[in-house]
Amino acid sequence: MSEQNNSQENKKKSFEQFMRSTFKVVLDPVASFFLKLGLTPNMVTILGLVITITAAIFAGMGKFLVAGLILLVGAPFDAVDGAMARQLGKPTRFGGFFDSVIDRYAELFMMGGLLYYYVGQSNKLASVLVFIAAAGSVMVSYTRARAEGQAFTAKVGILSRVERMIALVLFLIIGKPLIAMWIIAILANFTAIQRIFNVRKQARESESSQLRGEL
């Protein structure tokens, strides 16, 4: 991988580490509280999905402020389940897989709520935009999953789930979710394309190394 790719991944890791360290003081006590209640990380993952679906219902009714506030409350659950697993000392491969799958469902339900609203408003442009944003969000995750399945890395890109969620919550709260859709539609798909080219470069470098080794 090139120095530029390493730099991009380091920046992404640095941002994720910053978010984790910033909210660790809140997440850890919440995780401990849930564990004392007898909840498991997977239960909390499902709870986060239920909260997101609730936000999507309000978004579908055009109550964007309520939807944004609910989503703001539900967003940290994506990190709380991981904190719970770490406190238990037994994060599992299935837990990581399950969390990733539920995250995709949560995003699609949220986009579905907005799509329902704009279709009801007969706003064709907004409806198409939501679809493109949803496609981009899924492809960002899919490209990484497929890359890692082929023993490559694909963590590069400018719009991961964290950034998408921040944009969505912010613009829902101020009543301008269409701005978030423009941002996600453009930058999420751009991120997916970045990852495609990144994996292509890794594949070519790997093939070149193999050829040199055979000579």
Side-chain angles (χ1 to χ4, degrees):
M1 186 180 293
S2 67
E3 292 183 3
Q4 181 179 3
N5 291 333
N6 282 328
S7 177
Q8 288 180 319
E9 289 198 14
N10 288 335
K11 288 179 180 178
K12 182 63 67 180
K13 288 179 181 178
S14 297
F15 180 72
E16 291 176 356
Q17 290 169 354
F18 168 76
M19 294 294 289
R20 286 179 182 177
S21 61
T22 300
F23 293 101
K24 181 179 176 63
V25 66
V26 176
L27 294 177
D28 284 352
V30 173
S32 298
F33 175 71
F34 284 160
L35 288 172
K36 289 178 181 178
L37 291 178
L39 298 178
T40 66
N42 288 344
M43 288 179 183
V44 172
T45 299
I46 292 294
L47 180 58
L49 175 62
V50 171
I51 292 174
T52 301
I53 291 174
T54 303
I57 292 172
F58 279 99
M61 294 187 292
K63 298 181 179 181
F64 300 137
L65 174 59
V66 176
L69 292 175
I70 292 174
L71 196 60
L72 181 62
V73 171
F77 280 78
D78 187 42
V80 170
D81 53 7
M84 291 172 67
R86 287 190 293 274
Q87 288 186 22
L88 287 172
K90 53 178 183 180
T92 64
R93 293 177 65 187
F94 174 75
F97 164 80
F98 184 69
D99 182 56
S100 181
V101 170
I102 295 301
D103 283 349
R104 304 292 78 72
Y105 271 116
E107 280 195 274
L108 289 174
F109 273 118
M110 195 66 233
M111 297 293 187
L114 289 170
L115 181 61
Y116 178 85
Y117 172 78
Y118 287 119
V119 168
Q121 297 293 311
S122 299
N123 191 332
K124 293 182 180 179
L125 175 60
S127 299
V128 171
L129 194 62
V130 173
F131 172 79
I132 295 173
S137 296
V138 170
M139 290 307 299
V140 167
S141 300
Y142 182 76
T143 49
R144 176 178 173 180
R146 287 297 298 154
E148 292 177 348
Q150 297 292 326
F152 297 117
T153 61
K155 295 181 181 179
V156 299
I158 58 178
L159 202 74
S160 67
R161 175 173 166 76
V162 174
E163 289 88 353
R164 295 196 301 273
M165 188 59 63
I166 290 173
L168 191 53
V169 169
L170 174 61
F171 288 105
L172 275 171
I173 288 176
I174 66 175
K176 302 290 184 181
L178 206 54
I179 297 177
M181 292 301 98
W182 275 108
I183 293 172
I184 296 172
I186 295 171
L187 297 185
N189 283 287
F190 181 74
T191 297
I193 293 170
Q194 280 183 296
R195 292 183 173 186
I196 291 170
F197 279 98
N198 177 251
V199 172
R200 181 191 182 198
K201 182 169 186 173
Q202 291 176 68
R204 287 185 171 181
E205 290 176 350
S206 177
E207 291 167 0
S208 297
S209 297
Q210 289 177 359
L211 288 174
R212 286 195 296 269
E214 294 173 358
L215 295 178

